[in-house]
Amino acid sequence: MLLLQRLLIVLLSITLPAVTYLYFYPVFHGCGFPYQDASFDNSASDWHTLRQLLVQKKASANLKAPFRLLTLGDPQLEGDTSIPDTKDGYFPTLRTLLSNVRSASGISEGLKILKDASKEVLSREVPAKFQAWRKQVDLFGNDYYLAHIYRTLHWYTEPTHSTVLGDLLGSQWIDDDEFQRRGWRFWQRVFRHGQRVGDEITGEATQEVLGVNQEWNRRIMNVAGNHDVGYAGDMTEERIERFERTFGKANWEVRFQFPLHNGTNATNPDLVPELRIVVLNSMNLDTPAKSEDLQTQTYSFINEVIGRSRPVEDRTTGTILLTHIPLHKEEGVCVDAPFFDFHGEHDGGGVKEQNHISYDAGKGILEGVYGMSGNIDGPGGGMGRNGIILTGHDHQGCDVYHHLPVSEDGSERHWNATIWRNTRELLSQSIPGIREITVRSMMGDFGGNAGLLSAWFDSEAGEWQFAYSTCPIGVQHIWWAIHVLLIVTTGLLVFVCSSLALDPLRATRIRKENGHVKEYTQAATPAASKTTPIGNGSIRKRRR
C-alpha cells in the first residue's frame, strides 16, 4: 500500500498541472481576441502580462472589439467509410469452421482445415477487428478533441460570432444515412449548443444592429467545402440540398449596423457604419461544372451582393468574405501551389480537384465584390471597398495581402499576393489591396488551431479595422495522453482512498474476532483443582 501511495503522489503531481493546462490552455498561450486599444499586445504568440490575462475576461466595452469572430477550419469529421470493411461480419471463418470440419473426408483434411482457419483468423481477421475497434475509438476521441477546442475557446474568449470554413465532413461521397450521422455528431458532440443559422436569416439579405441579438454567439456560420458538396465537377443539387438542410445555406449574407450611440449620424442611415458578412460557395466558381444551374445560382448571388453594396468610395462599410477555396497565388507563396485536375470526358470533364480558385475567378471577387479596379479616375480612386477575406482548404494555413501594383511599362496590371508580415512597405503605397487569411485546420495533425478575428469601427479614420490572432491547443495526442493519465490517476486515487477508509474497519473486525477467540478459549478450558505437589512427584489435595 505504501508503494501505491507514493505512486499516487507522483501521478497527482503530473496530472493536476497537465489537466490545468488542457482546460485553461488559452491562458497559457496568451490567447484572446485583439483589442481596439493598440497599447495592448495583440500578438497571440507572445506571453501576455498578468494584467492582460486578467483583463481578457474583464475588459471594458471600449477595449473589446464589438465584433469577435471565432474562425475554425476543416474539422473533416470521418465516419464508417474510414473503418475497415466488415460487410461479412467479424471472424467469418469461425462461423463456417464447424460445418467445414464436419464435411472433411478424413482426420488429415480436418486438421488442415483447422490449421488454415487458425492462420486466417490470427493473421487477418483479428488484426482487422482490432483495427476497426481502434478506428471507432479514434473517431469518438477526435469528436471530443474538436469539441474541447470549440468549448474552451468559446468560454474563454467570448466570441460574438463563429464560423467553420468548410470541409465540415470528411467526404462528399457518403450516402445520406452516413451524412445524417455525421451531421448529428457535428451538432451534438463537436459543436454542442451551437446553432444552425436559420433560413429566416439566410433566405434573403437581412440587416441587424450589431450586438443586440445575443443568439449570434451560439450560431455557427458554416461554409460549404469540397468534402461537403464536392468540387464543381462533383456538385449536384442533391448534395447541396442535404448540406443546406443540415448546416445552413451555401450562399447568403447578413449586414450588421454599428450601434447608433457610438457617434454615427442617426438622421442619415446611409452613413451608419455597416459590417457585411458574405458566405460564398466557391466550389463551383470555376468551369466546367457538373450542374450549370448551381453555378448560375452562385454567380447570380455574387451579382446581388455587388448590387446591394454601398458606393465604392464609402469607407464606412467593411465586408468579411467567408469562403472555402483560397484565392489564386503564385507557387511558393503558401504551402499549396496552384493546381487543377479534371474528370475524364466520360465523367463530364468537370473540375475534379483544385488548390485555389482560378486567377480570373479571384480577380472577379477582388474587382467585383470589393470594387478594386485600380483606376485612379474611377470611383474611390480605384482603391475599392474595405474588408478582409477568410478561407480554409489549405490545412497548413496562410496569411497574404492581395495587391494590384502599378505597371511600370504601362502594360495590364496583374494581381499579386505577398505574405502579410512582409507588407509594411506595400501598405504605405496608394494601391488597392486586401488581406486574405487561410485559417489553419483545427484537426489534430495541424495543432488544433483556431483563428480569432476582431473588427471595430475607427471613428477617427472613418473605416473598419481588422486584427487577427491564432490559438493552437497542440496535437491530439496531448489530449489523449492527459485524459488517459486522468483516468488512471482517478482510478488509483479511488482505490487508495477506499483502502485507507476500510483499513480501520478491517482492523476493528480483526480485533473483535481475536477477542471472541480468546474468550472462547478461556471458557472452554476447565478450572484446575487446587493441588500441592509432594516430594515423590505425586500430588494430593491441599487441606484447607
Side-chain angles (χ1 to χ4, degrees), residues 216-378:
W216 276 104
N217 66 2
R218 287 296 178 184
R219 291 171 178 160
I220 298 178
M221 298 179 285
N222 292 312
V223 177
N226 54 287
H227 287 303
D228 305 315
V229 298
Y231 290 102
D234 309 321
M235 191 186 305
T236 63
E237 284 79 0
E238 291 76 19
R239 287 184 177 138
I240 283 290
E241 190 275 333
R242 70 182 186 181
F243 174 86
E244 293 187 333
R245 182 177 63 251
T246 305
F247 301 111
K249 286 201 66 175
N251 291 310
W252 60 281
E253 74 163 310
V254 61
R255 290 172 286 173
F256 296 102
Q257 289 189 332
F258 199 56
L260 297 179
H261 58 75
N262 283 269
T264 54
N265 187 353
T267 62
N268 189 348
D270 291 338
L271 296 181
V272 176
E274 185 177 78
L275 190 64
R276 301 180 75 191
I277 311 297
V278 178
V279 178
L280 174 65
N281 175 19
S282 56
M283 304 314 307
N284 57 1
L285 291 179
D286 290 298
T287 56
K290 188 179 185 70
S291 172
E292 293 185 0
D293 289 341
L294 289 176
Q295 189 174 61
T296 299
Q297 291 176 20
T298 297
Y299 275 98
S300 296
F301 169 72
I302 293 175
N303 290 330
E304 290 172 2
V305 169
I306 297 172
R308 287 191 292 261
S309 300
R310 291 182 180 180
V312 175
E313 57 270 22
D314 175 29
R315 303 297 291 180
T316 63
T317 299
T319 302
I320 301 177
L321 176 64
L322 307 178
T323 191
H324 183 63
I325 303 181
L327 274 63
H328 173 84
K329 306 167 190 65
E330 297 296 332
E331 183 175 2
V333 176
C334 298
V335 173
D336 283 353
F339 173 79
F340 271 88
D341 190 18
F342 299 89
H343 288 287
E345 291 298 327
H346 61 285
D347 289 328
V351 178
K352 181 180 180 181
E353 186 178 357
Q354 62 187 116
N355 285 347
H356 305 152
I357 61 175
S358 64
Y359 175 83
D360 289 335
K363 180 181 178 181
I365 291 175
L366 295 171
E367 298 184 5
V369 175
Y370 288 97
M372 298 179 178
S373 66
N375 181 6
I376 59 175
D377 297 324

Side-chain angles (χ1 to χ4, degrees), residues 328-336 356 394 396-403 416-427 434-438:
H328 173 84
K329 306 167 190 65
E330 297 296 332
E331 183 175 2
V333 176
C334 298
V335 173
D336 283 353
H356 305 152
D394 184 345
Q396 298 288 349
C398 197
D399 192 353
V400 302
Y401 183 69
H402 294 276
H403 56 283
N416 290 335
T418 301
I419 294 297
W420 176 254
R421 63 175 177 269
N422 301 329
T423 58
R424 178 173 296 182
E425 183 178 346
L426 283 173
L427 294 175
I434 192 170
R435 186 180 183 183
E436 178 200 7
I437 299 172
T438 301

Side-chain angles (χ1 to χ4, degrees), residues 48-282:
H48 285 196
T49 63
L50 179 60
R51 175 173 174 265
Q52 285 176 308
L53 289 173
L54 294 176
V55 168
Q56 173 62 37
K57 294 295 290 181
K58 297 182 179 181
S60 58
N62 63 338
L63 287 179
K64 283 187 176 182
F67 181 85
R68 303 181 298 279
L69 180 64
L70 174 61
T71 63
L72 301 166
D74 304 77
Q76 288 195 3
L77 300 189
E78 295 183 343
D80 62 358
T81 55
S82 64
I83 299 175
D85 185 17
T86 56
K87 62 182 179 181
D88 296 328
Y90 295 113
F91 308 117
T93 302
L94 297 180
R95 293 204 307 269
T96 60
L97 178 60
L98 183 59
S99 60
N100 291 339
V101 171
R102 286 177 176 175
S103 63
S105 58
I107 296 178
S108 59
E109 184 179 352
L111 292 175
K112 183 178 184 302
I113 292 174
L114 286 173
K115 179 181 177 181
D116 292 343
S118 300
K119 183 178 180 181
E120 177 72 7
V121 169
L122 295 176
S123 64
R124 190 181 68 84
E125 295 179 2
V126 169
K129 169 65 176 176
F130 176 79
Q131 178 66 10
W133 175 82
R134 186 201 65 80
K135 189 62 181 178
Q136 288 172 336
V137 173
D138 179 64
L139 292 177
F140 181 83
N142 185 67
D143 285 353
Y144 285 100
Y145 165 79
L146 298 174
H148 180 78
I149 295 172
Y150 171 70
R151 181 179 61 248
T152 305
L153 284 174
H154 197 280
W155 160 75
Y156 182 73
T157 63
E158 298 179 342
T160 59
H161 300 73
S162 300
T163 182
V164 181
L165 295 167
D167 280 0
L168 286 61
L169 309 182
S171 174
Q172 71 270 35
W173 303 108
I174 57 179
D175 59 32
D176 291 344
D177 290 339
E178 175 61 17
F179 188 95
Q180 186 175 358
R181 283 192 291 270
R182 297 193 197 187
W184 182 91
R185 287 164 49 203
F186 181 93
W187 289 116
Q188 301 303 321
R189 284 187 187 170
V190 180
F191 296 97
R192 190 177 182 184
H193 303 306
Q195 300 174 8
R196 173 184 177 274
V197 181
D199 295 340
E200 69 279 4
I201 297 173
T202 60
E204 58 183 23
T206 58
Q207 183 172 288
E208 301 183 18
V209 176
L210 183 61
V212 171
N213 189 346
Q214 296 301 313
E215 290 187 13
W216 276 104
N217 66 2
R218 287 296 178 184
R219 291 171 178 160
I220 298 178
M221 298 179 285
N222 292 312
V223 177
N226 54 287
H227 287 303
D228 305 315
V229 298
Y231 290 102
D234 309 321
M235 191 186 305
T236 63
E237 284 79 0
E238 291 76 19
R239 287 184 177 138
I240 283 290
E241 190 275 333
R242 70 182 186 181
F243 174 86
E244 293 187 333
R245 182 177 63 251
T246 305
F247 301 111
K249 286 201 66 175
N251 291 310
W252 60 281
E253 74 163 310
V254 61
R255 290 172 286 173
F256 296 102
Q257 289 189 332
F258 199 56
L260 297 179
H261 58 75
N262 283 269
T264 54
N265 187 353
T267 62
N268 189 348
D270 291 338
L271 296 181
V272 176
E274 185 177 78
L275 190 64
R276 301 180 75 191
I277 311 297
V278 178
V279 178
L280 174 65
N281 175 19
S282 56

